[in-house]
Amino acid sequence: MEHYHERILIVEDDPQIRNFISYALKQEGFECITANSGESALNALVSEPVDMVLLDLGLPKMDGMDVLKNVRDWSEMPVIIVSARDQDKEKAAALDAGADDYLTKPFSATELLARIRVAFRHYYKGAAVKEQTSFEVGGLKLDIQKRAVFLDSKALHLTPMEYQLLTLLFKNMGRVLTTSYIIKEIWGEGYGRDTQALRALMAALRRKIEKTPAKPRYILTEIGVGYRLVDE
């Protein structure tokens, strides 16, 4: 069994859920510290070494979103939201504010641990990805130096915008990208939140890379939130 030694801050005001998460993480070899409010979480972050934050949004006094924005002012450490709020707009807002993932209560220890491993993997690969020029998942390959895309070793002919979209997804492989983030990166700040053009572009790209576009293998839809390129 693979074990880890990173220290994780659990920010949760419900003692039962806090204890459940702490037990599951310690069984896997993680170190844990806990906080039951946004204020105590921020105090812990400045006084303790922390590698990741598991953050509830519905905290007393200081909301979890305020904690997230505070953390993102000075750190790129992984932050996973664990919340009972299941509205798509809440998920999108947290991801746009810098959360790495969003897990809706109730959830299993297995799912939580899987999300944690993925978030750490992306974090540690982050610096290398900025310089990376070749990406591959399954039979899909992107070569930035050659500006080429291959599916099962066959070259694909993508439009410039399709190529730009696929490159953005590859550079964030495994992460959910919100529709507003993708629109801003592809079309710019002034394009607003009109998702029709993005849906059309995504459909065109999927027709070229997916054997069955209605059941995608590579680009998954996170309903009401955005899209994610699989990382395995």
Side-chain angles (χ1 to χ4, degrees):
M1 182 182 294
E2 195 171 7
H3 279 270
Y4 301 82
H5 303 286
E6 288 91 349
R7 176 177 280 200
I8 298 176
L9 171 62
I10 303 164
V11 189
E12 170 61 66
D13 62 330
D14 184 317
Q16 282 190 311
I17 297 174
R18 196 168 61 237
N19 292 339
F20 159 70
I21 294 174
S22 182
Y23 177 79
L25 298 191
K26 287 176 180 177
Q27 288 293 104
E28 200 71 8
F30 291 109
E31 292 184 40
C32 297
I33 56 174
T34 62
N36 60 9
S37 69
E39 294 88 340
S40 58
L42 295 180
N43 287 336
L45 284 165
V46 298
S47 60
E48 302 262 9
V50 174
D51 300 300
M52 173 184 282
V53 181
L54 298 181
L55 178 62
D56 183 24
L57 292 182
L59 299 170
K61 296 182 182 178
M62 179 183 283
D63 189 76
M65 284 292 287
D66 294 323
V67 177
L68 171 61
K69 291 170 184 174
N70 186 292
V71 172
R72 280 294 169 257
D73 282 342
W74 58 273
S75 175
E76 291 298 315
M77 77 170 74
V79 178
I80 298 178
I81 303 299
V82 286
S83 178
R85 300 179 190 173
D86 62 354
Q87 295 295 313
D88 293 338
K89 64 181 181 179
E90 298 264 12
K91 296 178 183 179
L95 292 165
D96 275 335
D100 293 84
D101 206 345
Y102 195 113
L103 201 54
T104 303
K105 300 173 183 174
F107 50 82
S108 68
T110 301
E111 184 178 12
L112 174 63
L113 290 164
R115 301 288 188 98
I116 288 171
R117 285 191 287 268
V118 168
F120 272 131
R121 187 163 72 241
H122 293 160
Y123 178 65
Y124 292 134
K125 283 176 64 179
V129 165
K130 291 176 184 175
E131 307 299 325
Q132 197 171 332
T133 59
S134 180
F135 301 86
E136 189 168 2
V137 60
L140 185 63
K141 182 177 181 181
L142 169 70
D143 189 322
I144 291 176
Q145 283 188 325
K146 295 179 180 178
R147 200 175 173 82
V149 178
F150 302 90
L151 181 63
D152 298 330
S153 301
K154 294 179 181 178
L156 297 181
H157 299 286
L158 302 186
T159 68
M161 294 197 80
E162 290 166 356
Y163 177 84
Q164 190 179 352
L165 175 57
L166 186 62
T167 300
L168 180 66
L169 289 163
F170 258 118
K171 287 188 173 181
N172 294 276
M173 196 186 303
R175 291 190 64 174
V176 178
L177 301 184
T178 64
T179 52
S180 60
Y181 175 80
I182 297 172
I183 290 168
K184 183 183 74 174
E185 292 295 311
I186 300 293
W187 285 280
E189 290 279 2
Y191 203 83
R193 291 179 174 271
D194 181 7
T195 60
Q196 187 174 350
L198 176 56
R199 285 198 299 269
L201 180 61
M202 187 64 71
L205 177 59
R206 277 175 165 161
R207 282 194 294 270
K208 293 181 179 180
I209 69 171
E210 304 284 5
K211 291 180 179 177
T212 309
K215 295 181 179 179
R217 152 77 174 91
Y218 295 108
I219 303 174
L220 306 183
T221 300
E222 300 288 340
I223 296 172
V225 179
Y227 301 91
R228 173 170 59 88
L229 181 71
V230 298
D231 62 350
E232 56 187 12

